């Protein structure tokens, strides 16, 4: 699972994350908790089977990895590697997985009584060396043309048509706040592609948009984001391609 995660990061130019047995244990035990109790989410309830801590911070503390800045992703999937790839597509989940200051990742997968869970625990160091920004898709990258649009929390407005196109994101380093002034997504002919802006949750160092309809396979697309980055105007432009 860590190898799959780092392969996905490498395709964006993001630094590799390292594994840690304590973080792996926190992820694995939460995956076991979710599968055993047939529940989802990131909190555990004291007294339930397999309880190891209410929050991800509590579960890391229990493994001797104290004081970490951490987040967690979770999904039900047929295998651990499949779970990593499925989580990567989801904008709010991809945010942590691709983050330039993620330095450690622990992964766990559980299958209990026909129920499955894959959990990733991410640890951040905002003083770590990192690129100025990480884009997904990266410049020149080929990505799936279609995404179901299903994520919790929902990134799309109520009543939005689904499926949609592959989500487009950029995350900046050093916890700099970024605001979106305008966004344009155009095809190879220069035609505007309708999109939705993903609301900022959790933190303010990223911008994400989602094409309102599936992309055309084999088409090349151009992104232009006019941003306010730590109060300064910035324009970020790049191109990517939809897979055939």
């Amino acid at each position: 699972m860590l190898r799959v995660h780092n392969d996905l990061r490498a395709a964006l130019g993001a630094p590799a994350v390292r594994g840690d047995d304590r973080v792996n244990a926190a992820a694995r035990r939460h995956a076991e908790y979710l599968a055993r109790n047939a529940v989802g989410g990131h909190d555990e309830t004291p007294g339930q089977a397999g309880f190891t801590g209410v929050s991800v911070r509590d579960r890391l503390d229990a493994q001797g990895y104290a004081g970490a800045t951490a987040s967690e992703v979770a999904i039900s999937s047929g295998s651990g590697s499949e779970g990593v790839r499925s989580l990567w597509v989801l904008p709010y989940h991809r945010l942590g997985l691709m983050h330039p200051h993620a330095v450690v990742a622990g992964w766990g997968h559980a299958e209990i009584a026909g129920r499955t869970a894959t959990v990733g625990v991410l640890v951040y160091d905002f003083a770590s060396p990192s690129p100025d920004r990480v884009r997904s898709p990266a410049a020149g990258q080929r990505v799936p043309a279609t995404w179901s649009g299903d994520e919790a929390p929902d990134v799309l407005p109520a009543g939005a048509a689904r499926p949609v196109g592959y989500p487009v994101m950029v995350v900046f380093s050093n916890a700099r706040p970024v605001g979106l002034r305008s966004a344009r997504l155009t095809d190879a002919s220069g035609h505007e592609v309708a999109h939705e802006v993903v609301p900022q949750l959790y933190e303010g160092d990223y911008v994400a948009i989602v094409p309102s309809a599936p992309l055309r396979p084999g088409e090349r697309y151009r992104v232009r984001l006019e941003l306010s980055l730590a109060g300064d105007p910035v324009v970020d432009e790049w191109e990517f391609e939809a897979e055939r």
Side-chain angles (χ1 to χ4, degrees):
M1 290 181 281
L2 182 64
R3 179 186 58 77
V4 172
H5 184 190
N6 272 327
D7 286 348
L8 292 166
R9 287 178 63 87
L12 308 184
V17 290
R18 64 183 184 273
D20 185 286
D21 289 344
R22 297 164 295 176
V23 184
N24 286 337
R28 183 181 67 254
R29 292 186 180 181
H30 187 54
E32 292 168 351
Y33 173 92
L34 297 178
R36 182 172 287 114
N37 293 288
V39 295
H42 304 296
D43 291 341
E44 296 185 7
T45 301
Q48 292 291 317
F51 173 82
T52 55
V54 172
S55 69
V56 62
R57 285 284 299 271
D58 295 333
R59 295 188 289 274
L60 285 170
D61 288 350
Q63 297 300 325
Y65 200 105
T69 300
S71 68
E72 184 181 77
V73 293
I75 197 169
S76 177
S77 60
S79 71
S81 295
E82 177 188 317
V84 177
R85 293 188 181 95
S86 296
L87 286 161
W88 185 265
V89 179
L90 313 178
Y92 286 140
H93 293 70
R94 194 192 316 168
L95 171 61
L97 295 172
M98 67 180 277
H99 202 285
H101 289 295
V103 293
V104 174
W107 287 95
H109 180 77
E111 300 182 20
I112 299 174
R115 297 182 293 269
T116 66
T118 301
V119 172
V121 174
L122 304 157
V123 178
Y124 307 91
D125 178 358
F126 286 89
S128 64
S130 69
D132 180 71
R133 69 199 68 180
V134 177
R135 301 163 172 156
S136 178
Q141 188 177 19
R142 291 184 177 91
V143 295
T146 301
W147 172 47
S148 68
D150 297 330
E151 184 176 19
D154 199 345
V155 300
L156 300 174
R162 302 161 200 256
V164 292
Y166 191 85
V168 177
M169 305 179 62
V170 58
V171 186
F172 289 88
S173 63
N174 300 317
R176 289 170 292 171
V178 58
L180 179 62
R181 293 177 171 176
S182 70
R184 289 188 70 205
L185 182 62
T186 53
D187 63 18
S189 299
H191 297 130
E192 295 272 354
V193 176
H195 62 271
E196 303 288 352
V197 176
V198 175
Q200 275 188 340
L201 299 179
Y202 310 114
E203 55 191 76
D205 57 2
Y206 70 97
V207 165
I209 62 173
V210 178
S212 300
L215 302 173
R216 288 194 296 274
E219 184 77 52
R220 195 161 186 85
Y221 291 89
R222 184 169 189 81
V223 185
R224 177 182 170 88
L225 303 175
E226 295 187 9
L227 308 168
S228 172
L229 181 61
D232 296 325
V234 170
V235 175
D236 198 13
E237 293 186 88
W238 75 99
E239 295 183 353
F240 68 93
E241 188 174 323
E243 292 176 349
R244 295 185 182 277

